[in-house]
Amino acid sequence: MVKQVTEMLKGTLEGIVLAILSVRPAYGYEITAWLRDQGFTDIAEGTIYALLVRIEQRGLVDVQKIPSEKGPPRKVYSLNAQGQLYLDDFWRTWSFLTERLEQLRDRIERPQEEGE
Amino acid sequence: MVKQVTEMLKGTLEGIVLAILSVRPAYGYEITAWLRDQGFTDIAEGTIYALLVRIEQRGLVDVQKIPSEKGPPRKVYSLNAQGQLYLDDFWRTWSFLTERLEQLRDRIERPQEEGE
DNA sequence: CGCCGCTATTCAGTGATACTACCTACCGGT
DNA sequence: ACCGGTAGGTAGTATCACTGAATAGCGGCG
């Protein structure tokens, strides 16, 4: 029943990853693990990698291949200037959405103020 | 460039419409107009109708055909018990997402507290 | 040595959702 | 008869996340 989060993540997950990369560069496996840690337990492995490929192709991130002690080399992504602009847009869009949703929720909780 | 809202609406728009219907019953044309009014200027006409068909088929709303003075009859949708349960789930999922995003934004704005 | 587990990435196919771009239909006014 | 506003509907497309794999490097255990 509750696959809502899957659909709600569309468009948002991208912003989340860019936001993570704005804190510091990271690679796919690391990001996935961190997200699971934060409670996004149902984010599939492949999802993050596909997303990273997309944002790389759009030129929002720079990539560096760095050898790992244990396993194949890591692709470390870092946010570039264009990515930062896109992230700013993301936060604006997100704020717009949250404001509208908050208004709706308020109206539902206080039906007498239905003034419209 | 800024089609972010389109992707971010996926999964969210459904909740928004259900939330609107929880305030009072409404019909498609009315909902679309209201959304445009609220700043969702790029929501296409057809989108809402398709969404209403979906939630009706899932049994989240009840439908009543009511004649209009000007134009074809309206299909007035109202949230039923199952829809209310689904809406509750939506708010839970939404809260989870906003909390995570707020945490992320806070961490970015205060990078010295990166403690993790 | 061979297998397993962990790290790390990639990919083809599927499903859900919103958009584009239309079409149908009812009504009143010119 | 036509047009604009009201009202609903649909086929095709694009995007995005998920499923379920495969590939590859490395270390440890029997």
Side-chain angles (χ1 to χ4, degrees):
Chain A
M1 152 113 84
V2 191
K3 267 304 171 45
Q4 300 195 1
V5 78
T6 290
E7 288 307 321
M8 239 183 276
L9 275 177
K10 291 191 179 177
T12 311
L13 186 56
E14 188 177 280
I16 292 174
V17 170
L18 291 174
I20 291 172
L21 293 179
S22 82
V23 175
R24 60 174 153 73
Y27 54 99
Y29 193 82
E30 187 185 8
I31 295 171
T32 305
W34 186 82
L35 286 172
R36 288 195 193 288
D37 223 52
Q38 298 296 308
F40 293 100
T41 49
D42 25 67
I43 288 184
E45 284 273 348
T47 299
I48 297 300
Y49 291 111
L51 194 158
L52 289 171
V53 168
R54 279 202 304 272
I55 62 179
E56 180 188 353
Q57 285 175 348
R58 275 196 256 150
L60 305 180
V61 289
D62 296 329
V63 189
Q64 226 181 334
K65 254 204 167 123
I66 295 183
S68 162
E69 316 86 41
K70 31 173 69 180
R74 298 165 173 168
K75 283 181 75 176
V76 174
Y77 295 83
S78 53
L79 201 67
N80 61 25
Q82 203 181 333
Q84 183 61 53
L85 289 178
Y86 192 85
L87 180 57
D88 292 343
D89 266 348
F90 169 77
W91 284 126
R92 271 191 289 276
T93 307
W94 175 255
S95 298
F96 171 78
L97 247 192
T98 49
E99 278 166 28
R100 291 300 164 288
L101 267 290
E102 284 312 314
Q103 276 179 21
L104 247 185
R105 181 136 67 168
D106 283 355
R107 185 167 322 179
I108 291 163
E109 280 163 6
R110 292 193 288 284
Q112 69 277 16
E113 296 179 28
E114 221 181 282
E116 174 198 312
Chain B
M1 153 117 79
V2 191
K3 268 303 172 46
Q4 300 194 2
V5 78
T6 290
E7 287 306 321
M8 240 183 276
L9 275 176
K10 291 190 179 178
T12 311
L13 185 56
E14 189 177 278
I16 292 175
V17 170
L18 291 175
I20 290 171
L21 293 180
S22 83
V23 175
R24 60 174 153 75
Y27 56 98
Y29 193 81
E30 185 185 11
I31 295 172
T32 304
W34 186 82
L35 286 173
R36 288 195 193 285
D37 222 52
Q38 297 297 307
F40 294 99
T41 49
D42 24 67
I43 289 183
E45 285 273 348
T47 299
I48 296 300
Y49 292 114
L51 194 157
L52 289 171
V53 167
R54 278 203 304 274
I55 62 179
E56 180 187 355
Q57 283 174 349
R58 275 196 254 151
L60 305 179
V61 289
D62 296 330
V63 188
Q64 226 181 335
K65 251 201 170 127
I66 296 183
S68 162
E69 316 86 41
K70 32 171 70 179
R74 300 166 172 166
K75 281 182 75 176
V76 174
Y77 295 83
S78 52
L79 200 67
N80 61 25
Q82 203 182 332
Q84 184 60 53
L85 289 178
Y86 192 84
L87 180 57
D88 292 343
D89 266 348
F90 169 77
W91 283 125
R92 270 191 289 276
T93 307
W94 174 256
S95 298
F96 172 78
L97 247 191
T98 48
E99 278 167 28
R100 291 300 166 286
L101 266 291
E102 284 312 313
Q103 277 179 22
L104 246 185
R105 181 137 65 169
D106 283 354
R107 184 166 324 178
I108 290 163
E109 281 163 6
R110 291 194 289 283
Q112 67 278 17
E113 296 179 28
E114 221 180 283
E116 173 198 313

